[in-house]
Amino acid sequence: MSNIKNINISYEIAREAYAEIGVDTEKAIELLKTIPLSIHCWQGDDVGGFETQGVGTADGGMQVTGNYPGKANTVDELRSDMEKALSLIPGTHRVNIHAIYGEFNGKQIDRDEIEPIHFQGWIDWAKSNNLKLDFNSTLFSNPKAASGLTLSDNDRSIRDFWIEHVKRCRKIGSYIGKSQNDACIHNLWIPDGVKDITVNRFKLRAQLKDSLDKIYSVVYASSEIKDSVESKLFGIGSEYSVVGSHDFYMPYAILNNLMICLDMGHFHPTESVADKLSALLLYFNEIVMHVSRGIRWDSDHVVIINDELRNVMEEIVRCDATNRVHLALDYFDASINRIGAWVIGARSTLRALLMALLEPISQLKSYEENNRFFERLALLEELKSMPFNAVWDQYCLTMDVPIRTNWISEIIKYENSVTFKR
């Protein structure tokens, strides 16, 4: 109780300090409560999924490293682990699933045969846990992706297989959206690319465009499904040429009324993903942001609070786009406790977002518009030492999740009693 009392006292001091610079901490907290993260299921089992074809390993431009004990081996174990993680993350969030996470009851169901019924268990689980679902086609970890090409493959039969898969995934996404009375975001990322010098990139991209045209010719209500396409600079095995580049997908999405998906780790290290937002929001009503952390050439490290994350969250808030940018986590690390990885990434994302919500934006914009650049820079520097953590603690307290470092011991308890016994 004394700890809670101290948090309340610290928060009152922080609230007054922020009020002096024109920031309403209560308003920031209430807004943060309304912003969901779409939390990726694949962190819990190293992107394995529950297919029965024996191809449940990540490949096609991806690699999961590490063998930390206790990974989820069944859909029930995965959902249990997600429930534990969600209990330690403040707010009401969404769960993002890939097509390989269907419940196939031991039957060999290939990707071009999946149906909504294979995901009814997820829909029922989500409803019982007050969650919404998002969905992804899975165009990797399959023999028909062995060449490194799928929707752009030179083999017409391979392209047709994957076209049918994505069509079925969109049908499933629509079914999910209707079932939960909230649009399901369906995201499409493909591993297509070539390792070394590519002479006819034009042909590959023309074939990809033709495949996409066939996929999106089927129209669903926007109240049921929202589609996004995701680019990448390069991947493992596609170092020289990626077919679905940013330059390819951006005009395609605009012309076909799709959302663009920006993954924070899918661009050149010197590019600012935050800077892209103010440009793209002029042309897109909504954007999907995959929150990840790139280190050197790898894009999928556990999210932490760093300059890149803070810059993205600041730009979202400064553009008044918290209801237009859909935040989704996308990383996988098998070298540490997987539930801990979920919670670190989610809490870090929310903390960075709260920091952005606590900026005196009106004052900063006024300084900027009146060429008062000294005051703008000075205020931005002073914000770095404002009592942000007291506001975060208060938010966690109001959302009934562990405060400060208390969540770490909760994960260790679950590890010892559940995951280490698998």
Side-chain angles (χ1 to χ4, degrees), residues 33 53 61 64 88 98 110 131 134 155 195 198 205 214 245 254 256 277 284 289-290 294 314 330 345 375 383 401 418:
K33 290 179 182 179
Q53 296 105 314
V64 181
L88 304 174
H98 252 281
D110 211 342
L131 297 166
D134 294 317
D155 186 332
K195 184 178 181 63
T198 311
R205 285 174 173 153
K214 290 179 170 63
S245 65
I254 292 174
N256 291 277
L277 283 168
F284 289 90
M289 175 64 68
H290 274 189
E314 288 167 355
D330 187 8
E375 291 99 320
L383 283 172
V401 300
V418 179

Side-chain angles (χ1 to χ4, degrees), residues 5-233:
K5 181 180 178 181
N6 289 337
I7 287 174
N8 288 330
I9 292 172
S10 296
Y11 173 67
E12 284 303 312
I13 295 171
R15 186 180 63 81
E16 292 177 5
Y18 276 106
E20 290 178 1
I21 59 172
V23 175
D24 185 337
T25 58
E26 290 294 311
K27 184 178 178 181
I29 287 174
E30 289 304 310
L31 180 54
L32 186 59
K33 290 179 182 179
T34 69
I35 303 173
L37 304 180
S38 192
I39 299 175
H40 57 318
C41 75
W42 51 93
Q43 164 57 35
D45 77 328
D46 310 338
V47 205
F50 305 115
E51 292 182 315
T52 56
Q53 296 105 314
V55 293
T57 57
D59 58 19
M62 301 197 315
Q63 183 177 348
V64 181
T65 56
N67 58 354
Y68 194 85
K71 81 169 184 175
N73 297 299
T74 68
V75 67
D76 288 335
E77 289 180 351
L78 182 61
R79 289 174 187 156
S80 174
D81 291 353
M82 291 206 79
E83 288 173 20
K84 184 60 183 180
L86 288 162
S87 73
L88 304 174
I89 301 167
T92 302
H93 301 291
R94 306 172 72 92
V95 168
N96 204 2
I97 57 177
H98 252 281
I100 54 175
Y101 288 87
E103 294 176 81
F104 304 111
N105 299 318
K107 297 179 181 178
Q108 291 206 357
I109 308 295
D110 211 342
R111 304 280 175 84
D112 62 343
E113 300 172 326
I114 59 174
E115 296 283 354
I117 190 62
H118 299 130
F119 299 89
Q120 187 62 51
W122 280 103
I123 294 170
D124 296 339
W125 172 78
K127 285 183 178 179
S128 67
N129 286 276
N130 191 31
L131 297 166
K132 306 295 185 185
L133 296 176
D134 294 317
F135 200 72
N136 302 261
S137 299
T138 309
L139 287 85
F140 50 83
S141 299
N142 184 282
K144 288 185 174 65
S147 70
L149 301 174
T150 60
L151 291 175
S152 68
D153 198 286
N154 289 315
D155 186 332
R156 174 82 259 181
S157 66
I158 295 292
R159 298 203 304 275
D160 286 344
F161 173 87
W162 290 114
I163 288 169
E164 180 63 22
H165 170 67
V166 182
K167 282 185 174 180
R168 286 173 175 258
C169 287
R170 294 185 69 235
K171 179 181 176 181
I172 292 165
S174 173
Y175 179 81
I176 291 172
K178 284 189 286 187
S179 299
Q180 64 190 13
N181 197 31
D182 187 88
C184 170
I185 293 177
H186 169 263
N187 184 60
L188 176 62
W189 175 81
I190 62 174
D192 293 37
V194 181
K195 184 178 181 63
D196 213 327
I197 296 172
T198 311
V199 175
N200 203 349
R201 280 185 281 197
F202 185 86
K203 180 184 178 183
L204 295 179
R205 285 174 173 153
Q207 289 171 171
L208 174 56
K209 180 182 181 299
D210 179 71
S211 295
L212 295 175
D213 288 344
K214 290 179 170 63
I215 288 166
Y216 295 114
S217 66
V218 182
V219 178
Y220 294 100
S222 60
S223 60
E224 300 170 3
I225 185 173
K226 296 180 179 181
D227 286 290
S228 63
V229 286
E230 178 182 357
S231 66
K232 194 168 187 177
L233 178 62

Side-chain angles (χ1 to χ4, degrees), residues 267-325:
F267 297 89
H268 193 279
T270 60
E271 284 188 277
S272 169
V273 180
D275 183 59
K276 299 179 187 300
L277 283 168
S278 59
L280 294 177
L281 285 167
L282 292 171
Y283 304 99
F284 289 90
N285 290 326
E286 297 174 275
I287 291 173
V288 175
M289 175 64 68
H290 274 189
V291 184
S292 64
R293 175 169 58 108
I295 297 181
R296 300 185 185 275
W297 53 267
D298 190 20
S299 65
D300 295 302
H301 291 265
V302 179
V303 172
I304 61 173
I305 298 176
N306 56 16
D307 288 344
E308 289 77 14
L309 182 65
R310 291 195 61 178
N311 290 343
V312 165
M313 297 306 155
E314 288 167 355
E315 194 67 14
I316 292 172
V317 174
R318 291 169 184 176
C319 291
D320 192 23
T322 55
N323 63 339
R324 297 175 59 197
V325 178

